[in-house]
Amino acid sequence: MTARILVAACLHESNSFNRYPAGLEHFNRQGIFRDDAVGPRFAPTRTEMGGFLAWAAQQGWSITTPLAAQPASAGPVAEEAYTFFRDVLHEAATKARKAGLDGVLLALHGAMVAEGAPGQDGDGGLAQAVRDAVGPDMPIAISLDPHGNVSDLLAGSVNAISAYRTHPHTDHFETGQRAAAMLTRALAANELPQVHLARRPQLRGFDGARTETGPGPMHEAMALCRGFESVDPAIYEVSIQAGFSPCDTWHTGPTAAVTAATRGARFQAVAETMMDFAWDNRCRETFRLLSVAEALEAARNVPPGPGPIVISDYGDAPGGGAYGDATAMLSALLQAGLPNVVFAGLKDPEAVAAAEAAGIGGQVRLALGGKIYKNFGGGPVPIVAEVLKLSDGNYVNDGPYAKGLPNRIGATALLRVLEGPGAGMRIMVNALARNVLDRAQLRLVGLTPEDCNILCIKGMDAIRAAFQPGSRAVIPFESGGIASRGLDFSALKRIRRPVWPLDPIAAP
Ligand SMILES: [Zn+2]
């Protein structure tokens, strides 16, 4: 018999330090896709939804696709947007159940902070809405980002969890397929699997889920997970999530989620063992963030050779929900007078508008960037520049990250600095706050990394997928900004206390 499956995606990573709520307008920039619009948009992509759709086609499932939305990271989701998505999913699941439904596949992020959700737990609220609609006996399998903070509500509302196993995340598609495979297994075995969740009083763990910065805790933890799966056939999957610290929710922090055929103490013990590992290794990390001055010094010390030196602004990474307009490194690079420098991904819609008004070849006098949070990460920087290129900022991902997915960074201008020690430096400015994640973004204005001596971009570890290959060095630094490690996390009021590293705490 053909299985009837509801397939949906609603992903958002929220940074509670971001003062701008993510309303429907924010989601609409990347698109909210409904029903028949979901397949054409996502089937050609290496996203979770792409993985779901390919699996469904291969299985011959009869699917309904009420929703797919995955905007850029930003502030907490506004209530109007959260309730819209919740109601869409609830109504679609209710309708599907009445028509005959065998299971649900959902792609969530796990770090959606949402106004109007229980405890501001957006992912838990969405999963609960689906559960309420389909009843207690319907298998629901979900995919997550390992930077998701998994709540008890989320784990208790679903039957199977699989998070990405790479960071940078290049296995969205495969993770979607793993979640779909668990649903297939549950249907074939007529089982209703259960999720066993564990956490410790810690905000960070599993080395932030990093897998491309060398051997470390995430590799070791995943080896333990695969080991547990291999010796116990009742375990569907052991999934670990490093969490995302700037989320003001009670449950923020790393988790282990063991999906097993039934509920059982031995499965909970596996989850607890994984979190013992997370606690014991909480201080081990495979990278070190440099200050602006240290990063510049490190860049000067990289031997000459082919390929760029990539300097990435971790603390102001829009992929972590930051504003993307911090200027501390921009100022330092303008003063340093190094040859052939490109600074890409600075958000400043006013500067782009001025460049558009001047036109290609025109000159602009700007106070660039630093407008949103000028006391933290650097204020506006005065420059005189020539407009080299303009673009609408629309492109299709063609790198290792969600390949095939149309994307946008907003109206974009490439400027060349005309005065001062930084004369000749090129700056790519865009209207929207976005990580520089894909080489296609640079090609919008005719840039390639190979043409740069130094390429400074906004982004955390995710930038390594596209830019580490062929580079002479990748140097992450902290300029300040609201994705910074230097934030006062005790300003987040919902996070359970005591919690490491905010409080002195004995081993739990
Ligand atoms: Zn992530």
Side-chain angles (χ1 to χ4, degrees), residues 334-353:
L334 283 167
Q335 292 304 315
L338 295 166
N340 194 9
V341 177
V342 170
F343 190 104
L346 188 79
K347 179 196 170 177
D348 191 334
E350 293 169 28
V352 176

PDB file of all heavy atoms in Angstrom, residues 334-353:
ATOM      1  N   LEU A 334      41.821  48.920   6.315  1.00  0.00           N
ATOM      2  CA  LEU A 334      42.017  50.175   5.590  1.00  0.00           C
ATOM      3  C   LEU A 334      43.306  50.867   6.042  1.00  0.00           C
ATOM      4  O   LEU A 334      43.993  51.505   5.261  1.00  0.00           O
ATOM      5  CB  LEU A 334      40.816  51.109   5.809  1.00  0.00           C
ATOM      6  CG  LEU A 334      39.567  50.769   5.006  1.00  0.00           C
ATOM      7  CD1 LEU A 334      38.354  51.537   5.524  1.00  0.00           C
ATOM      8  CD2 LEU A 334      39.771  51.044   3.521  1.00  0.00           C
ATOM      9  N   GLN A 335      43.628  50.730   7.316  1.00  0.00           N
ATOM     10  CA  GLN A 335      44.857  51.339   7.837  1.00  0.00           C
ATOM     11  C   GLN A 335      46.097  50.523   7.503  1.00  0.00           C
ATOM     12  O   GLN A 335      47.195  51.060   7.387  1.00  0.00           O
ATOM     13  CB  GLN A 335      44.757  51.496   9.366  1.00  0.00           C
ATOM     14  CG  GLN A 335      43.728  52.508   9.822  1.00  0.00           C
ATOM     15  CD  GLN A 335      43.955  53.882   9.207  1.00  0.00           C
ATOM     16  OE1 GLN A 335      45.076  54.382   9.157  1.00  0.00           O
ATOM     17  NE2 GLN A 335      42.889  54.492   8.696  1.00  0.00           N
ATOM     18  N   ALA A 336      45.919  49.196   7.363  1.00  0.00           N
ATOM     19  CA  ALA A 336      47.083  48.304   7.233  1.00  0.00           C
ATOM     20  C   ALA A 336      47.782  48.470   5.887  1.00  0.00           C
ATOM     21  O   ALA A 336      48.984  48.222   5.767  1.00  0.00           O
ATOM     22  CB  ALA A 336      46.647  46.855   7.431  1.00  0.00           C
ATOM     23  N   GLY A 337      47.030  48.867   4.858  1.00  0.00           N
ATOM     24  CA  GLY A 337      47.661  49.087   3.559  1.00  0.00           C
ATOM     25  C   GLY A 337      48.221  47.828   2.917  1.00  0.00           C
ATOM     26  O   GLY A 337      49.220  47.892   2.200  1.00  0.00           O
ATOM     27  N   LEU A 338      47.625  46.684   3.169  1.00  0.00           N
ATOM     28  CA  LEU A 338      48.086  45.426   2.564  1.00  0.00           C
ATOM     29  C   LEU A 338      47.624  45.357   1.103  1.00  0.00           C
ATOM     30  O   LEU A 338      46.634  45.980   0.726  1.00  0.00           O
ATOM     31  CB  LEU A 338      47.517  44.236   3.354  1.00  0.00           C
ATOM     32  CG  LEU A 338      48.015  44.124   4.797  1.00  0.00           C
ATOM     33  CD1 LEU A 338      47.155  43.159   5.596  1.00  0.00           C
ATOM     34  CD2 LEU A 338      49.475  43.691   4.817  1.00  0.00           C
ATOM     35  N   PRO A 339      48.353  44.597   0.282  1.00  0.00           N
ATOM     36  CA  PRO A 339      47.989  44.558  -1.147  1.00  0.00           C
ATOM     37  C   PRO A 339      46.778  43.672  -1.417  1.00  0.00           C
ATOM     38  O   PRO A 339      46.583  42.655  -0.751  1.00  0.00           O
ATOM     39  CB  PRO A 339      49.247  43.960  -1.804  1.00  0.00           C
ATOM     40  CG  PRO A 339      49.890  43.144  -0.727  1.00  0.00           C
ATOM     41  CD  PRO A 339      49.574  43.826   0.570  1.00  0.00           C
ATOM     42  N   ASN A 340      45.979  44.091  -2.385  1.00  0.00           N
ATOM     43  CA  ASN A 340      44.919  43.266  -2.974  1.00  0.00           C
ATOM     44  C   ASN A 340      43.973  42.671  -1.929  1.00  0.00           C
ATOM     45  O   ASN A 340      43.849  41.457  -1.792  1.00  0.00           O
ATOM     46  CB  ASN A 340      45.540  42.155  -3.827  1.00  0.00           C
ATOM     47  CG  ASN A 340      44.505  41.485  -4.715  1.00  0.00           C
ATOM     48  OD1 ASN A 340      43.370  41.958  -4.824  1.00  0.00           O
ATOM     49  ND2 ASN A 340      44.880  40.382  -5.328  1.00  0.00           N
ATOM     50  N   VAL A 341      43.327  43.557  -1.189  1.00  0.00           N
ATOM     51  CA  VAL A 341      42.403  43.134  -0.132  1.00  0.00           C
ATOM     52  C   VAL A 341      40.959  43.301  -0.617  1.00  0.00           C
ATOM     53  O   VAL A 341      40.606  44.335  -1.202  1.00  0.00           O
ATOM     54  CB  VAL A 341      42.609  43.982   1.144  1.00  0.00           C
ATOM     55  CG1 VAL A 341      41.597  43.587   2.217  1.00  0.00           C
ATOM     56  CG2 VAL A 341      44.035  43.838   1.656  1.00  0.00           C
ATOM     57  N   VAL A 342      40.149  42.272  -0.357  1.00  0.00           N
ATOM     58  CA  VAL A 342      38.704  42.360  -0.615  1.00  0.00           C
ATOM     59  C   VAL A 342      37.973  42.129   0.694  1.00  0.00           C
ATOM     60  O   VAL A 342      38.267  41.168   1.418  1.00  0.00           O
ATOM     61  CB  VAL A 342      38.253  41.322  -1.666  1.00  0.00           C
ATOM     62  CG1 VAL A 342      36.723  41.263  -1.734  1.00  0.00           C
ATOM     63  CG2 VAL A 342      38.831  41.655  -3.039  1.00  0.00           C
ATOM     64  N   PHE A 343      37.057  43.012   1.016  1.00  0.00           N
ATOM     65  CA  PHE A 343      36.199  42.854   2.199  1.00  0.00           C
ATOM     66  C   PHE A 343      34.793  42.621   1.661  1.00  0.00           C
ATOM     67  O   PHE A 343      34.251  43.467   0.956  1.00  0.00           O
ATOM     68  CB  PHE A 343      36.259  44.123   3.051  1.00  0.00           C
ATOM     69  CG  PHE A 343      35.599  43.990   4.399  1.00  0.00           C
ATOM     70  CD1 PHE A 343      36.357  43.856   5.551  1.00  0.00           C
ATOM     71  CD2 PHE A 343      34.213  44.006   4.522  1.00  0.00           C
ATOM     72  CE1 PHE A 343      35.760  43.747   6.802  1.00  0.00           C
ATOM     73  CE2 PHE A 343      33.602  43.883   5.767  1.00  0.00           C
ATOM     74  CZ  PHE A 343      34.380  43.757   6.898  1.00  0.00           C
ATOM     75  N   ALA A 344      34.189  41.478   1.958  1.00  0.00           N
ATOM     76  CA  ALA A 344      32.907  41.136   1.328  1.00  0.00           C
ATOM     77  C   ALA A 344      31.857  40.803   2.378  1.00  0.00           C
ATOM     78  O   ALA A 344      32.140  40.178   3.393  1.00  0.00           O
ATOM     79  CB  ALA A 344      33.081  39.945   0.391  1.00  0.00           C
ATOM     80  N   GLY A 345      30.642  41.257   2.099  1.00  0.00           N
ATOM     81  CA  GLY A 345      29.521  40.855   2.931  1.00  0.00           C
ATOM     82  C   GLY A 345      29.130  41.865   3.986  1.00  0.00           C
ATOM     83  O   GLY A 345      28.422  41.532   4.934  1.00  0.00           O
ATOM     84  N   LEU A 346      29.574  43.117   3.831  1.00  0.00           N
ATOM     85  CA  LEU A 346      29.177  44.138   4.799  1.00  0.00           C
ATOM     86  C   LEU A 346      27.757  44.596   4.490  1.00  0.00           C
ATOM     87  O   LEU A 346      27.442  44.963   3.361  1.00  0.00           O
ATOM     88  CB  LEU A 346      30.138  45.340   4.720  1.00  0.00           C
ATOM     89  CG  LEU A 346      29.940  46.382   5.806  1.00  0.00           C
ATOM     90  CD1 LEU A 346      30.580  45.921   7.112  1.00  0.00           C
ATOM     91  CD2 LEU A 346      30.521  47.723   5.389  1.00  0.00           C
ATOM     92  N   LYS A 347      26.906  44.579   5.520  1.00  0.00           N
ATOM     93  CA  LYS A 347      25.535  45.033   5.306  1.00  0.00           C
ATOM     94  C   LYS A 347      25.451  46.551   5.459  1.00  0.00           C
ATOM     95  O   LYS A 347      25.831  47.086   6.508  1.00  0.00           O
ATOM     96  CB  LYS A 347      24.589  44.386   6.309  1.00  0.00           C
ATOM     97  CG  LYS A 347      23.147  44.885   6.103  1.00  0.00           C
ATOM     98  CD  LYS A 347      22.244  44.605   7.277  1.00  0.00           C
ATOM     99  CE  LYS A 347      20.929  45.343   7.076  1.00  0.00           C
ATOM    100  NZ  LYS A 347      19.962  45.076   8.135  1.00  0.00           N
ATOM    101  N   ASP A 348      24.977  47.219   4.447  1.00  0.00           N
ATOM    102  CA  ASP A 348      24.696  48.653   4.553  1.00  0.00           C
ATOM    103  C   ASP A 348      23.784  49.067   3.398  1.00  0.00           C
ATOM    104  O   ASP A 348      24.256  49.485   2.335  1.00  0.00           O
ATOM    105  CB  ASP A 348      25.991  49.473   4.549  1.00  0.00           C
ATOM    106  CG  ASP A 348      25.723  50.929   4.923  1.00  0.00           C
ATOM    107  OD1 ASP A 348      24.580  51.391   4.694  1.00  0.00           O
ATOM    108  OD2 ASP A 348      26.641  51.595   5.438  1.00  0.00           O
ATOM    109  N   PRO A 349      22.468  48.952   3.597  1.00  0.00           N
ATOM    110  CA  PRO A 349      21.552  49.282   2.495  1.00  0.00           C
ATOM    111  C   PRO A 349      21.651  50.735   2.050  1.00  0.00           C
ATOM    112  O   PRO A 349      21.483  51.033   0.869  1.00  0.00           O
ATOM    113  CB  PRO A 349      20.163  48.966   3.071  1.00  0.00           C
ATOM    114  CG  PRO A 349      20.340  48.773   4.538  1.00  0.00           C
ATOM    115  CD  PRO A 349      21.784  48.446   4.785  1.00  0.00           C
ATOM    116  N   GLU A 350      21.964  51.640   2.994  1.00  0.00           N
ATOM    117  CA  GLU A 350      22.087  53.056   2.602  1.00  0.00           C
ATOM    118  C   GLU A 350      23.274  53.255   1.667  1.00  0.00           C
ATOM    119  O   GLU A 350      23.195  54.018   0.690  1.00  0.00           O
ATOM    120  CB  GLU A 350      22.283  53.928   3.844  1.00  0.00           C
ATOM    121  CG  GLU A 350      21.078  53.977   4.753  1.00  0.00           C
ATOM    122  CD  GLU A 350      21.411  54.639   6.099  1.00  0.00           C
ATOM    123  OE1 GLU A 350      22.317  55.497   6.154  1.00  0.00           O
ATOM    124  OE2 GLU A 350      20.772  54.277   7.091  1.00  0.00           O
ATOM    125  N   ALA A 351      24.378  52.581   1.957  1.00  0.00           N
ATOM    126  CA  ALA A 351      25.563  52.710   1.099  1.00  0.00           C
ATOM    127  C   ALA A 351      25.279  52.142  -0.286  1.00  0.00           C
ATOM    128  O   ALA A 351      25.702  52.711  -1.297  1.00  0.00           O
ATOM    129  CB  ALA A 351      26.746  51.991   1.735  1.00  0.00           C
ATOM    130  N   VAL A 352      24.553  51.013  -0.340  1.00  0.00           N
ATOM    131  CA  VAL A 352      24.219  50.426  -1.643  1.00  0.00           C
ATOM    132  C   VAL A 352      23.342  51.396  -2.432  1.00  0.00           C
ATOM    133  O   VAL A 352      23.558  51.610  -3.637  1.00  0.00           O
ATOM    134  CB  VAL A 352      23.505  49.066  -1.470  1.00  0.00           C
ATOM    135  CG1 VAL A 352      23.088  48.518  -2.832  1.00  0.00           C
ATOM    136  CG2 VAL A 352      24.409  48.066  -0.759  1.00  0.00           C
ATOM    137  N   ALA A 353      22.374  52.013  -1.751  1.00  0.00           N
ATOM    138  CA  ALA A 353      21.492  52.973  -2.436  1.00  0.00           C
ATOM    139  C   ALA A 353      22.304  54.152  -2.976  1.00  0.00           C
ATOM    140  O   ALA A 353      22.071  54.629  -4.097  1.00  0.00           O
ATOM    141  CB  ALA A 353      20.402  53.453  -1.476  1.00  0.00           C
TER     142      ALA A 353
END
